[in-house]
Amino acid sequence: MVEIYKPVTLKEVLQILNKQKTVIFAGGTDLMVKRKRWAGISPKFEEPVVFIADIHELKKIERSEDKLIIGSAVTYTELIESTLIPEYMKNIFSGVASPAIRNIGTMGGNIGNSSPVGDTLPLLYALEAKVNLETENFKRQVDIKDFILGPGLNDLKEGELITSIEIPLKNFNAIDYRKVGTRKSTALAKLSFLGMAEIKDEKVQDIRISFGAVAPTIVRSKEIENEIIAKSLKGEEIDKDELIKLYDELIRPIDDQRSTKDYRKTVCLNLLHSFLKEIIKSSDS
Ligand SMILES: Cc1cc2nc3c(=O)[nH]c(=O)nc-3n(C[C@H](O)[C@H](O)[C@H](O)COP(=O)(O)OP(=O)(O)OC[C@H]3O[C@@H](n4cnc5c(N)ncnc54)[C@H](O)[C@@H]3O)c2cc1C
């Protein structure tokens, strides 16, 4: 028999988490798959389960000029329907699974699951999102790249809950997001690519490039991005082939049931090439 808690407030959730080891259950779309046993038999939960989907403090979306704060229990459907969410983000959230999963699945759960395939992660890495965490007595904020430690691994401490995700907003005027899967709906990514750039005065003022599902965690290199920006601002030539070589070294896909490592790497580098071509063309023009 599974022991369950259905707290009503955030305070109650944190009190329960402080008392004992539990499983935090938001939409349950990852958990029910991970804990499943066989047809007709309920999934196995060894620790008590705490339902957080209806905790109103975790369901807020707030936006100011320079940042967006998304409660960890906000569902994808709620994000897509919110007027506060930029269209390019809605495009990413609309590509997650299917309507039924989007109605209950959350960004908090995508981060909690910490899979390199998670569709929200390339965006969160690119925008340098911060994960807000709370225990009954303590609050902290961690960069997404430091929170996720590997496939299925993260820095969530005992008694801690992801309460919200803080996403800095910037004016990118070139955005290219591609999720490559077997089909458009209900397919995990074979790979994903996100390129974002701010082109102003014919120069690359800012650029962010991230890849999902092709390494143990999301691939992003601030060093390479800074080099592109520096060269562009100085008016120096940007060698696309050289950049592609640098990313080639960072992208380390595996063969699995969804795809092969060769396919993944080739498509990533092709998508990168076409994004760089667009960016460098628009900054040259
Ligand atoms: C059919 C199907 C298709 C899918 N397709 C996609 C897809 O296309 N793209 C994609 O990215 N994912 C996909 N997924 C995976 C899943 O839907 C997402 O990862 C979703 O965001 C998980 O959210 P959830 O609220 O259901 O998480 P849950 O299953 O409730 O939780 C996932 C993990 O996060 C932890 N957790 C949840 N909330 C918190 C919190 N607030 N604080 C701390 N820990 C927390 C849980 O304890 C658990 O370990 C799919 C799943 C299914 C079943």
Side-chain angles (χ1 to χ4, degrees), residues 207-225:
I207 186 163
R208 314 284 171 96
I209 292 169
S210 56
F211 300 88
V214 289
T217 56
I218 301 303
V219 172
R220 180 182 168 215
S221 167
K222 215 167 162 165
E223 217 183 325
I224 304 176
E225 293 167 1

Side-chain angles (χ1 to χ4, degrees), residues 154-191:
N154 60 48
D155 184 36
L156 190 77
K157 312 267 190 237
E158 240 167 68
E160 234 175 16
L161 179 78
I162 302 169
T163 49
S164 63
I165 301 99
E166 194 172 308
I167 309 176
L169 293 173
K170 290 212 64 184
N171 285 328
F172 292 105
N173 50 7
I175 300 175
D176 189 5
Y177 172 68
R178 308 292 176 98
K179 172 179 174 176
V180 179
T182 305
R183 54 185 179 269
K184 202 159 184 338
S185 168
T186 325
L188 289 173
K190 292 172 191 250
L191 63 103

